[in-house]
Amino acid sequence: MKTYPIPMVPGPVKVHPAVLKAYKVDYGSADLEAEYLELYAQAEKNLKSLLETQYSVAILQGEGMMALWGALKSCLRPGDRVLSVATGVYGYGIADMAAAVGAEVRKVGLGHNETLSDLAACEKAVAEFKPKMITAVHCETPSGTLNPIEGLGRLKKAMSVPLLYVDAVSSVGGTSVRPDAWDIDLCLGGSQKCLSALPDTCFVAVSPKAWEVIEEIDYVGYDALKPFRTALEKHAFPYTPAWQATAGLNAGVQAVLEEGLEICYRRHDAVAAYCRKRLEETGYTLFPAPDAVPSPTVTAVHIPEGIPWAEFDARLRRHGLVVGGSYGPMAGKVFRLGHMGTQADRNLVDQALDILERTLSDR
Ligand SMILES: *Cc1c(COP(=O)(O)O)cnc(C)c1O
């Protein structure tokens, strides 16, 4: 199997050595051993430190999409109103998912290269539509943008919207994400982005209000959140968890905590700023609009004129660099550099930029 020495895909990222080490252990025990409960409790405690939260954090076995679906299905009944703030593929996608669950959905939609700034449209929509839930995406990975969430949380609280649902899958671990301080009721994260673990676990920080709604909806299914409210106390998980997956996620979180949150976030900010600066100096055009907030975890860039994506990608791979393509309206037009987790590394970005520079001048 071919591997590439310069991995810059925005997830799954290069796995952290501590995560690999956690996978090599044969825990050799059934799921309901006291040791597993201890491991789960430790992983939850570490996630609470990472999210600076008092809320409980449910750890599910499945990647990010499982959290996205599970949180919607656990809180919504057909006919419930959902206001989706959409600035990219995931934002618009979550609106479609809520509609698929039977919700009545209204969107506050912006361009894929924009980020939320003026809350007037959201305020107007909340006043008219009176949603049960607002959904938003923190980092729009396919666009390389970061939506500010705090203002939306304040608006939610001031206008008494019951629930704020935030996809923070590609920001948790790379920049500050604070469910309690920002009034997020369902804060969703994944293992394979900034936490440098495998794509096998996801988690949801659940506010007391969200637990109330989850109890009332009583959704039953593989992705249901409800069993996790009492899993530890009842020693009952809804399916057999993989020890390695929970241990791997825990190792990824622990690595961030050991580095220190502030230091880790500063590393991401510095590498991202450096990456954008070098790209522009080299002659590339960044995808986000000039007044949009660029993400500290992923940079989206226009593919140079006159080179089809497949050829551009092949040229980079010949030099050992693999980047991400993009999706939706950006497919074939935008490529992405994932500088998150283990890949938020100045040296790695330098190697990638050397190749990108050569590829542009060889045109
Ligand atoms: C990666 C990602 C997800 C989860 O997608 P998976 O395919 O399950 O990895 C969800 N939201 C965002 C913003 C993401 O970047």
Side-chain angles (χ1 to χ4, degrees):
M1 197 182 69
K2 188 156 174 42
T3 59
Y4 295 91
I6 312 168
M8 290 298 298
V9 172
V13 305
K14 186 175 156 56
V15 178
H16 194 287
V19 173
L20 279 183
K21 200 168 150 222
Y23 268 81
K24 284 188 182 144
V25 178
D26 180 2
Y27 298 90
S29 187
D31 57 338
L32 295 181
E33 295 295 320
E35 289 82 358
Y36 182 76
L37 297 171
E38 233 170 77
L39 171 64
Y40 184 95
Q42 197 199 358
E44 184 185 3
K45 183 167 168 278
N46 283 331
L47 281 167
K48 287 170 76 161
S49 301
L50 176 68
L51 295 165
E52 302 174 70
T53 186
Q54 302 297 320
Y55 300 163
S56 55
V57 182
I59 304 167
L60 284 66
Q61 304 243 325
E63 226 291 304
M65 291 311 297
M66 190 186 201
L68 267 60
W69 280 111
L72 289 175
K73 292 195 219 165
S74 296
C75 294
L76 297 173
R77 229 181 239 124
D80 282 345
R81 290 179 172 186
V82 173
L83 181 71
S84 290
V85 177
T87 70
V89 171
Y90 282 99
Y92 285 98
I94 289 166
D96 290 344
M97 288 161 66
V101 171
E104 190 189 333
V105 178
R106 188 180 287 193
K107 283 175 256 192
V108 173
L110 296 175
H112 283 65
N113 62 345
E114 297 180 297
T115 48
L116 191 62
S117 56
D118 180 10
L119 289 173
C122 296
E123 197 176 329
K124 184 164 175 278
V126 170
E128 286 171 9
F129 188 55
K130 304 206 181 339
K132 173 184 184 179
M133 177 191 279
I134 300 175
T135 69
V137 177
H138 192 206
C139 172
E140 264 293 354
T141 328
S143 302
T145 54
L146 192 78
N147 283 301
I149 299 297
E150 264 184 286
L152 207 54
R154 276 196 299 271
L155 184 140
K156 176 217 88 156
K157 197 172 182 185
M159 299 185 79
S160 305
V161 177
L163 300 172
L164 175 59
Y165 166 112
V166 174
D167 172 354
V169 173
S170 64
S171 54
V172 171
T175 190
S176 186
V177 178
R178 306 184 62 193
D180 322 28
W182 300 353
D183 273 303
I184 302 171
D185 297 281
L186 297 144
C187 184
L188 323 175
S191 51
Q192 51 134 325
K193 305 279 168 71
C194 311
L195 298 172
S196 315
L198 277 78
D200 55 11
T201 49
C202 57
F203 50 90
V204 186
V206 184
S207 76
K209 175 65 195 175
W211 279 129
E212 252 176 56
V213 173
I214 290 164
E215 288 292 333
E216 185 214 320
I217 297 294
D218 203 17
Y219 162 63
V220 178
Y222 189 61
D223 51 1
L225 291 179
K226 191 180 163 202
F228 291 90
R229 187 175 194 180
T230 53
L232 278 181
E233 119 205 10
K234 290 190 180 163
H235 295 201
F237 287 86
Y239 40 73
T240 306
W243 285 68
Q244 282 81 359
T246 308
L249 171 67
N250 187 44
V253 176
Q254 219 151 359
V256 174
L257 295 175
E258 279 164 18
E259 182 181 2
L261 295 184
E262 283 310 311
I263 296 170
C264 176
Y265 300 158
R266 245 185 281 139
R267 168 168 59 90
H268 282 81
D269 285 342
V271 169
Y274 176 73
C275 181
R276 291 192 298 268
K277 179 169 162 276
R278 256 202 86 179
L279 281 163
E280 290 197 299
E281 283 170 1
T282 305
Y284 283 93
T285 311
L286 303 178
F287 174 70
D291 59 352
V293 184
S295 171
T297 61
V298 51
T299 295
V301 192
H302 285 283
I303 295 167
E305 297 265 339
I307 313 181
W309 158 243
E311 193 192 323
F312 184 68
D313 185 38
R315 280 198 212 173
L316 302 182
R317 283 173 192 260
R318 248 178 267 133
H319 294 290
L321 167 63
V322 57
V323 302
S326 195
Y327 303 98
M330 289 93 71
K333 297 179 186 148
V334 166
F335 72 96
R336 296 170 304 146
L337 297 168
H339 33 72
M340 51 180 75
T342 48
Q343 295 173 193
D345 178 304
R346 165 90 180 234
N347 185 37
L348 187 68
V349 168
D350 255 329
Q351 290 177 56
L353 262 296
D354 288 347
I355 293 165
L356 284 164
E357 191 168 345
R358 203 173 337 150
T359 303
L360 200 62
S361 55
D362 283 354
R363 185 156 44 144

